[in-house]
Amino acid sequence: MTLNEADKNFVVETLADQSLGVVQGSSYYFKNLILRAELPKPVVANRIGALIGSPEIDARTLVAWSESYGVNPNNRVPALGSFLLSMMDQAGMDQQLRLPAILVTARLLPDDQLDRLQARFQIPIVPTRPAALVPVQTGPEFTWRDEREPLELQGLFDRGPLVLDVGLILQAAKRALGVCRVEVGNALKGTGILIEKDLVLTNYHVVGGDLTASRAELDMNAPATVLRFGAFTSGASPDEGQTVKLAPAAAIVDADPQLDFALLRTSDDIAAVKDLRPFSDLGLTPARLDPLYILQHPQGGPMKLALSDNGVSWVDPTVGVVQYLTRADFGSSGSPCFDSNWKLVALHHAGNTRKGEGILIRSIFDRIRPHLLQ
């Protein structure tokens, strides 16, 4: 139950700052924090007795002790998690997202509490270990261009537990506010990106069923299409989140099966959805071995974040395609692909869970730019 040095310093500084704001003094603050953690009585007495009245020293001592102490036998919650959870009650604007991001990233709470925290602060799920996935083709067929040997690729697929930076999770949480699940009736599911206040980008084949669908078929499917924002937690029902239908007329603003995109206009109901954050920041065309991150709704489930630190395997700007080893699954079609600066580089459209392909986002934006606000 240890934090990296940057997160540990942040927690220590936050504890010290909060204790300085207590009229009764810093020792009173730390004593109250320890009592709220529901630790065994001998432990409580020991910790309170160790306080010396110096905000920074008491903060650093408490964090170091709680890391080594581990899980509280009284409530099965890591001691450090209890302290961070209590700190959130007094957290300022700069701390309101970083504290829960630390709790989620370090898994300092039981799963049910982490689920509630992820839902409250809209933090996407990050697997602690890559799952053993059976390759299943989703989206259009494509030819894999990577020339590396199978054994080398296997080493990339089967890496051990992920060690994640909290700053990365903070950026993912911000981007997640503009990502939705796209539900076309009861049969088709995908992912979409809110690129303006009422425009969502997804795949052509998500709305049409496949790339052979006519534009008229997309128009017919539009009334049965629902956009679901805020589906973040694994324990929630399929109806979790805030839903928006498409505009009653001219809902398909633009679409192209060659580029496999559909630009959708939402109904006016989107104005009532809370905590939305559209984004359309474009990154540079990725290069081979660049990182690639995907926010997605695999298998129509809660939002998840897939990472690869050198996942880009092949790029061809002339045809507008990028291929990568970042994992994606059925329901991930239409997901945003990001570079390491969290800028859009591609729209995921096909894969076999281990290998994926996306349409370079600049190719799509060259086409849809006339529909965007200048």
Side-chain angles (χ1 to χ4, degrees):
M1 304 282 181
T2 60
L3 304 179
N4 65 41
E5 202 61 30
D7 292 336
K8 188 180 299 185
N9 288 336
F10 170 79
V11 172
V12 169
E13 290 171 7
T14 303
L15 277 169
D17 287 346
Q18 289 187 359
S19 72
L20 289 172
V22 176
V23 176
Q24 297 92 328
S26 65
S27 293
Y28 178 88
Y29 167 84
F30 285 108
K31 178 180 178 181
N32 186 51
L33 194 70
I34 293 166
L35 290 170
R36 291 173 65 183
E38 301 178 3
L39 294 159
K41 289 183 179 181
V43 175
V44 171
N46 177 273
R47 285 298 91 205
I48 292 176
L51 298 174
I52 66 172
S54 167
E56 185 173 349
I57 294 175
D58 283 342
R60 195 166 295 281
T61 301
L62 187 63
V63 170
W65 172 84
S66 61
E67 284 183 312
S68 63
Y69 183 76
V71 175
N72 178 2
N74 284 352
N75 57 14
R76 307 307 303 167
V77 175
L80 183 58
S82 294
F83 294 142
L84 265 63
L85 203 59
S86 295
M87 290 166 61
M88 286 171 54
D89 294 340
Q90 300 180 43
M93 290 295 293
D94 293 340
Q95 304 153 358
Q96 282 181 350
L97 187 54
R98 186 162 180 179
L99 285 172
I102 292 172
L103 283 161
V104 170
T105 304
R107 304 200 68 80
L108 292 173
L109 295 173
D111 288 346
D112 59 335
Q113 292 188 49
L114 287 176
D115 272 353
R116 290 195 293 272
L117 204 64
Q118 285 180 282
R120 177 181 171 189
F121 293 95
Q122 304 194 7
I123 300 171
I125 295 169
V126 183
T128 53
R129 181 186 293 272
L133 296 175
V134 178
V136 177
Q137 180 67 32
T138 63
E141 295 285 344
F142 67 100
T143 301
W144 183 247
R145 306 286 185 175
D146 198 306
E147 298 177 352
R148 281 175 282 189
E149 294 295 325
L151 188 61
E152 182 182 357
L153 294 176
Q154 189 69 27
L156 294 173
F157 295 142
D158 298 332
R159 289 181 172 178
L162 302 175
V163 179
L164 300 173
D165 179 72
V166 169
L168 187 150
I169 297 300
L170 289 172
Q171 291 299 318
K174 292 175 183 177
R175 287 307 194 203
L177 298 177
V179 178
C180 63
R181 189 161 67 214
V182 180
E183 304 168 5
V184 186
N186 295 320
L188 303 175
K189 286 185 171 64
T191 304
I193 321 162
L194 185 68
I195 59 172
E196 284 194 359
K197 62 183 179 68
D198 63 347
L199 291 177
V200 167
L201 187 65
T202 189
N203 284 146
Y204 189 102
H205 77 262
V206 167
V207 184
D210 58 49
L211 292 178
T212 65
S214 66
R215 178 65 180 268
E217 289 177 280
L218 268 68
D219 290 330
M220 289 176 59
N221 287 342
T225 299
V226 172
L227 309 175
R228 190 178 300 275
F229 292 90
F232 289 99
T233 62
S234 57
S237 75
D239 297 329
E240 179 203 11
Q242 304 175 83
T243 59
V244 178
K245 292 187 176 181
L246 300 187
I252 311 297
V253 178
D254 200 353
D256 186 340
Q258 294 300 316
L259 292 173
D260 197 6
F261 83 84
L263 184 64
L264 315 177
R265 189 173 302 281
T266 73
S267 69
D268 293 339
D269 293 343
I270 195 149
V273 179
K274 298 178 181 178
D275 299 321
L276 287 188
R277 184 178 294 187
F279 61 89
S280 57
D281 304 332
L282 304 189
L284 299 175
T285 299
R288 190 171 181 270
L289 301 183
D290 275 357
L292 193 104
Y293 310 148
I294 304 178
L295 283 171
Q296 55 190 299
H297 282 284
Q299 300 187 31
M303 189 183 300
K304 293 189 179 181
L305 171 61
L307 306 164
S308 61
D309 54 8
N310 58 357
V312 175
S313 61
W314 180 80
V315 186
D316 189 343
T318 60
V319 297
V321 167
V322 58
Q323 293 184 349
Y324 36 80
L325 298 172
T326 314
R327 293 171 181 266
D329 203 350
F330 174 77
S332 300
S333 291
S335 298
C337 301
F338 301 95
D339 62 16
S340 58
N341 294 315
W342 287 97
K343 293 189 176 183
L344 274 173
V345 294
L347 188 70
H348 175 78
H349 85 128
N352 64 4
T353 64
R354 288 181 174 236
K355 304 170 183 176
E357 181 177 273
I359 306 298
L360 289 174
I361 203 70
R362 288 186 178 275
S363 301
I364 296 174
F365 268 68
D366 286 346
R367 167 70 178 268
I368 67 175
R369 207 171 297 281
H371 304 293
L372 306 180
L373 294 174
Q374 300 300 316

